[in-house]
Amino acid sequence: MTLIEPPPTTDRRNPAPAASATAPHLRIERPLEGRDGEILTPAALAFLTELHDRFGRRRHDRLAARLRGRFEIGNGHDPHFRSETAHIREDPSWQVAGAGPGLEDRRVEITGPTDPKMTINALNSGARVWLADQEDATSPTWRNVIGGQLSLFDAIRGRLSYTSPEGKEYRVTAERTPTIVMRPRGWHLPEKHITVIDRAGRELAASGSLVDYGLYVFHNAHALIAAGRGPYFYLPKIESADEARLWDDVFSFTEERLGLAHGTIRATVLIETLPAAFEMEEILFALRDHCAGLNAGRWDYIFSIIKTYRGRGARFVLPDRSEVTMTVPFMRAYTELLVRTCHKRGAYAIGGMSAFIPNRRKPEVTEAAFEKVAADKRREAGDGFDGTWVAHPDLIPVALAEFDAVLGDRDNQLDRLREDVEVRAEQLLDLRIGLPITAGGVRGNVSVAIRYIEAWLRGLGAVAIDDLMEDAATAEISRSQIWQWIHQDRSTDDGTRITREYVEGLLGDVLAEVTRFEGDRFDDAADVFREVALRDEFPSFLTLPAYAKYLD
């Protein structure tokens, strides 16, 4: 292990620390290998220590507030538009900072993990923006966490290359590369390979959010600004304006600490939790000096709804995952509210990712994927979104065509205020779709969850399964639906009750059919699935027990 003890810092408000206080410091629980030391420098680790010292307690307070909110909803208190913040929503005078340099045109963004090959493919893709994903599309092994930072470090300096085991060489050849927007892990996720020792001598796992964010901004902020862009971030899993305000304070501290002008850092917030849908304007207000926009994180939003209402009765039970489309009423209400809210405040509204992907070996699959993605992006552009996500380079022209048809030479649709949209709280909570749960839907959820978790345990965060791009969010939907269907005593449309025994049988069938190979993690994946889908307890995120017990 590596012990990093930065020199004591002076608190300007209290220059004489208490005699019992110790200097906060970090302990790296893994030996440094290869180029790790280029990222985990003493100066960078001192910066991480400062972030945890200043903001670690507030992070824990916010996570405790999440638990209180879920308890209240579970006991019948539905989320609502807060009366105590109505003055923010009713004040017409404020606007957010908006697009930073290089973020003016966001009509098509590509998402993906940050390993060298995928980084190069994203930079060569022709997209306007690359969401460099250290969150749902990255399995947070220590190698991936530090390796992703190295990929970004090299890419920003124009020196990234990669040679595959087969000898194929990858280099960045595009004349114009996408603007990088990095997504750190959410507030809830730890980094178990770094221990924080606080002023009282207590030892806690570091925050995955602060580790991902801190290393990236410390090493790259000035280089990004020099290249005419900036340090930009996607903020995941936000549940409240208070959580957004915590990020805003982190940004302001960083700017002062690194000598950046206030407002240099820009963030786009994913509205991918049900509580956040009721606080969109408050979230924009909390981040207004640093905010570029909001994104409709559709898959995690569906997961959040299932998780939030998993114990509230039959009217909150959704049918097969494939039937929960963007055109069902509660999803329409959520996305239209997002566009109206963004444009009212000068923020970009970015659409979500369709899971359909092409298959170059199956032309019929590719043709169907193009048609479905085109329809999805046509709807988003028509609704007023300023840009959208894709998960595969071949889908960029498809999405681009739909947004070009609406945007033309304009960078955005901020002038479309969508004043025709009026969304009430009950519309966001009306989950009626009127379709059954099918045996195929149950089996499909088991299959996707097992195959995704297995890949995740091997270090893969974005996985093509049955011609869909699956990440942690879709695996979360799959396992949480199974849990809810069991606990709400649901049956399939052929009359079969969905019980633990029934799902265990399906699990056995799936394990018997998958192709086993040396080093596979299917047995571990089955254990994780049982823990997160078949027990009475419901872990808030499947990644938490999986990370704690099984991931290197």
Side-chain angles (χ1 to χ4, degrees):
M1 68 180 65
T2 303
L3 186 65
I4 302 294
E5 293 195 41
T9 57
T10 300
D11 187 331
R12 296 175 182 174
R13 296 166 299 179
N14 185 16
S20 61
T22 62
H25 54 282
L26 304 180
R27 186 172 66 237
I28 310 299
E29 307 292 358
R30 294 286 296 267
L32 303 190
E33 301 175 358
R35 296 177 58 201
D36 291 358
E38 296 180 40
I39 297 299
L40 299 169
T41 64
L45 290 167
F47 179 64
L48 288 188
T49 302
E50 289 184 86
L51 290 177
H52 283 86
D53 185 41
R54 289 173 178 265
F55 302 108
R57 183 181 294 275
R58 285 178 60 191
R59 168 183 172 252
H60 286 289
D61 290 344
R62 291 300 95 224
L63 295 179
R66 284 187 182 184
L67 293 178
R68 290 193 295 271
R70 289 173 195 158
F71 179 81
E72 290 175 0
I73 294 173
N75 280 279
H77 300 281
D78 289 330
H80 56 275
F81 297 105
R82 295 166 56 188
S83 59
E84 65 269 27
T85 56
H87 65 282
I88 293 174
R89 299 192 299 273
E90 294 166 1
D91 180 356
S93 66
W94 62 270
Q95 296 274 288
V96 301
L103 283 179
E104 299 88 354
D105 185 342
R106 304 182 65 171
R107 66 188 68 199
V108 179
E109 305 186 358
I110 192 167
T111 74
T114 54
D115 60 274
K117 178 183 173 181
M118 296 302 290
T119 296
I120 293 169
N121 286 345
L123 294 176
N124 286 333
S125 68
R128 300 295 199 270
V129 169
W130 172 40
L131 187 162
D133 197 1
Q134 291 286 89
E135 198 228 10
D136 273 1
T138 293
S139 172
T141 66
W142 182 240
R143 285 294 99 219
N144 284 349
V145 168
I146 302 304
Q149 294 283 348
L150 282 165
S151 294
L152 293 166
F153 185 88
D154 287 344
I156 288 164
R157 289 156 180 80
R159 64 190 193 202
L160 181 64
S161 63
Y162 172 71
T163 302
S164 72
E166 298 76 26
K168 183 176 180 180
E169 294 187 356
Y170 294 80
R171 296 185 182 278
V172 178
T173 58
E175 291 184 10
R176 181 187 185 278
T177 58
T179 298
I180 298 172
V181 181
M182 196 273 260
R183 179 162 68 168
R185 283 169 283 180
W187 280 130
H188 62 288
L189 290 171
E191 175 45 67
K192 69 179 181 181
H193 301 101
I194 300 179
T195 299
V196 178
I197 298 89
D198 69 13
R199 293 176 182 272
R202 293 170 298 192
E203 298 189 2
L204 296 169
S207 159
S209 300
L210 294 179
V211 168
D212 294 343
Y213 163 82
L215 292 175
Y216 179 77
V217 75
F218 182 84
H219 286 296
N220 301 307
H222 289 284
L224 288 162
I225 294 165
R229 295 177 179 179
Y232 303 142
F233 298 92
Y234 261 110
L235 303 182
K237 308 296 187 290
I238 293 288
E239 294 199 12
S240 69
D242 289 334
E243 292 183 19
R245 190 170 299 107
L246 175 55
W247 270 119
D248 193 71
D249 290 343
V250 170
F251 296 157
S252 294
F253 166 75
T254 300
E255 288 164 341
E256 181 179 356
R257 174 70 168 73
L258 299 185
L260 309 176
H262 182 70
T264 297
I265 296 171
R266 296 295 166 88
T268 303
V269 178
L270 291 116
I271 302 299
E272 55 184 354
T273 68
L274 181 62
F278 288 88
E279 296 192 33
M280 291 190 211
E281 264 184 283
E282 292 89 338
I283 288 168
L284 289 175
F285 183 79
L287 280 160
R288 60 193 180 281
D289 290 349
H290 295 105
C291 196
L294 303 179
N295 171 276
R298 59 178 71 173
W299 302 116
D300 268 301
Y301 187 73
I302 295 169
F303 163 54
S304 177
I305 286 174
I306 299 167
K307 174 171 65 175
T308 302
Y309 280 96
R310 65 187 184 276
R312 285 279 299 272
R315 74 185 183 93
F316 296 105
V317 175
L318 296 176
D320 294 357
R321 180 179 70 137
S322 61
E323 301 293 352
V324 189
T325 67
M326 298 305 295
T327 59
V328 301
F330 72 90
M331 294 299 285
R332 289 289 292 159
Y334 146 70
T335 53
E336 290 196 312
L337 177 61
L338 187 146
V339 173
R340 174 176 177 146
T341 302
C342 282
H343 290 182
K344 176 182 177 182
R345 301 302 181 181
Y348 280 44
I350 307 299
M353 185 180 74
S354 175
F356 300 101
I357 55 173
N359 186 324
R360 292 168 180 171
R361 294 185 298 273
K362 298 179 180 178
E364 69 281 4
V365 170
T366 296
E367 182 178 356
F370 284 173
E371 291 176 357
K372 291 173 181 176
V373 170
D376 184 60
K377 305 315 174 188
R378 189 178 309 124
R379 175 190 51 76
E380 287 183 331
D383 284 347
F385 281 94
D386 304 292
T388 192
W389 283 4
V390 297
H392 193 286
D394 289 355
L395 296 174
I396 291 173
V398 178
L400 197 60
E402 299 303 333
F403 273 84
D404 283 349
V406 172
L407 291 175
D409 295 331
R410 298 178 298 157
D411 288 335
N412 57 66
Q413 301 190 71
L414 292 177
D415 59 322
R416 285 196 64 193
L417 298 180
R418 292 307 311 269
E419 292 176 340
D420 57 305
V421 171
E422 292 290 342
V423 174
R424 303 181 307 279
E426 54 266 29
Q427 291 175 273
L428 295 172
L429 301 176
D430 184 357
L431 307 186
R432 293 173 294 181
I433 295 178
L435 293 171
I437 302 164
T438 69
V442 182
R443 182 187 177 87
N445 278 1
V446 175
S447 178
V448 165
I450 288 297
R451 289 191 284 169
Y452 178 81
I453 294 169
E454 190 279 329
W456 190 87
L457 293 174
R458 286 187 290 111
L460 302 175
V463 186
I465 300 175
D466 297 334
D467 301 313
L468 297 174
M469 183 58 71
E470 309 285 12
D471 67 6
T474 50
E476 291 280 28
I477 294 172
S478 298
R479 69 94 181 187
S480 60
Q481 282 198 307
I482 293 291
W483 191 99
Q484 187 184 39
W485 292 340
I486 291 171
H487 285 79
Q488 293 298 323
D489 198 25
R490 297 295 90 196
S491 298
T492 63
D493 57 352
D494 63 4
T496 303
R497 283 188 60 209
I498 304 171
T499 63
R500 287 186 178 88
E501 294 73 22
Y502 174 62
V503 175
E504 276 284 1
L506 295 176
L507 175 58
D509 292 343
V510 169
L511 292 173
E513 292 175 2
V514 296
T515 302
R516 304 298 295 258
F517 54 90
E518 185 177 356
D520 75 46
R521 302 292 298 273
F522 282 111
D523 293 335
D524 290 337
D527 288 342
V528 172
F529 178 79
R530 291 187 180 98
E531 181 166 356
V532 302
L534 299 184
R535 294 185 179 176
D536 286 338
E537 298 80 11
F538 183 89
S540 294
F541 295 91
L542 73 83
T543 46
L544 289 173
Y547 180 60
K549 294 182 181 180
Y550 296 99
L551 203 64
D552 180 22

